[in-house]
Amino acid sequence: MCPQNIIGERVRLARTKAKPPITQIDLAARLQTLGMQVDQAAVSRIESGSHEVTDVEVAIIAKALGVKAGWLFGESEG
């Protein structure tokens, strides 16, 4: 199956490298407070690349993880 998003790997990386690490459930809760209706299963699908992510959702995910949207797309390493 072909991935439907390219940010999944970076979402997982940002989540697991956070201090303390952010669980998928915690990320889902953060996203919900920012208006994105997802659950842990949806976060898992985003990370696996099998869930299509809109540009608005990328911005919300970046905010929830404390990273820049460009970083999620692999534009920089830091």
Side-chain angles (χ1 to χ4, degrees):
M1 174 163 65
C2 185
Q4 294 180 350
N5 76 60
I6 60 173
I7 68 166
E9 240 179 78
R10 286 286 181 117
V11 170
R12 181 180 327 217
L13 181 63
R15 187 177 60 72
T16 58
K17 297 288 183 179
K19 300 292 182 203
I22 302 166
T23 67
Q24 289 181 341
I25 292 170
D26 291 337
L27 179 55
R30 290 181 184 199
L31 295 171
Q32 289 170 11
T33 64
L34 294 170
M36 189 172 160
Q37 297 307 308
V38 295
D39 57 12
Q40 178 275 325
V43 171
S44 178
R45 289 190 303 275
I46 289 168
E47 290 183 355
S48 72
S50 64
H51 179 82
E52 192 170 322
V53 182
T54 67
D55 56 348
V56 172
E57 290 172 331
V58 171
I60 293 170
I61 292 167
K63 184 174 183 176
L65 290 170
V67 299
K68 294 184 180 198
W71 182 85
L72 289 176
F73 287 112
E75 290 180 1
S76 64
E77 290 301 314

